[in-house]
Amino acid sequence: QVQLVESGGGLVQAGGSLRLSCAASGSIFSINAMGWYRQAPGKQRELVAIITLGGSTSYADSVKGRFTISRDNAKNTVYLQMNSLKPEDTADYSCAAAPSLSLLQYGGGSWGQGTQVTVSS
């Protein structure tokens, strides 16, 4: 019942920045946690960043200090600001939303279609 649409992916050189957006629609009243996952070929899917309804945030160690998750409630949109990008950040990034933090962490809830981020050396 929740639809998520990501945008903002692309190609960037190492050290550069990108901002991903995730717009939610549908039964958005049911969303209590949103986050960003990423997955590269041959690697396990990784939960990169989380933001809760109350505004609490958390990050994977691999991106801590470089990525920032935020939200604009008026636009029903969550953002992922990615700075100091590294080639290791290259992956398909997907937005997720769930009625609870635990469900989000387990991969449940709604998912967007994904957006590709490629960081060149």
Side-chain angles (χ1 to χ4, degrees), residues 79-93:
Y79 305 95
L80 185 67
Q81 179 67 45
M82 305 184 294
N83 298 326
S84 302
L85 283 163
K86 306 174 181 178
E88 307 93 271
D89 296 318
T90 296
D92 181 77
Y93 285 74

Side-chain angles (χ1 to χ4, degrees), residues 2 16 19 55 97 103 110 113:
V2 176
R19 188 177 75 158
L103 186 59
S110 301
Q113 80 288 345

Side-chain angles (χ1 to χ4, degrees), residues 33-77:
M34 296 185 68
W36 291 91
Y37 280 87
R38 69 182 183 185
Q39 187 166 33
K43 297 182 180 179
Q44 185 173 319
R45 186 174 63 187
E46 179 183 30
L47 181 56
V48 172
I50 298 169
I51 188 165
T52 68
L53 182 65
S56 299
T57 60
S58 61
Y59 301 90
D61 289 341
S62 57
V63 307
K64 197 171 299 181
R66 300 187 297 119
F67 290 11
T68 303
I69 189 170
S70 61
R71 68 186 184 192
D72 185 336
N73 289 335
K75 298 180 179 179
N76 297 318
T77 299

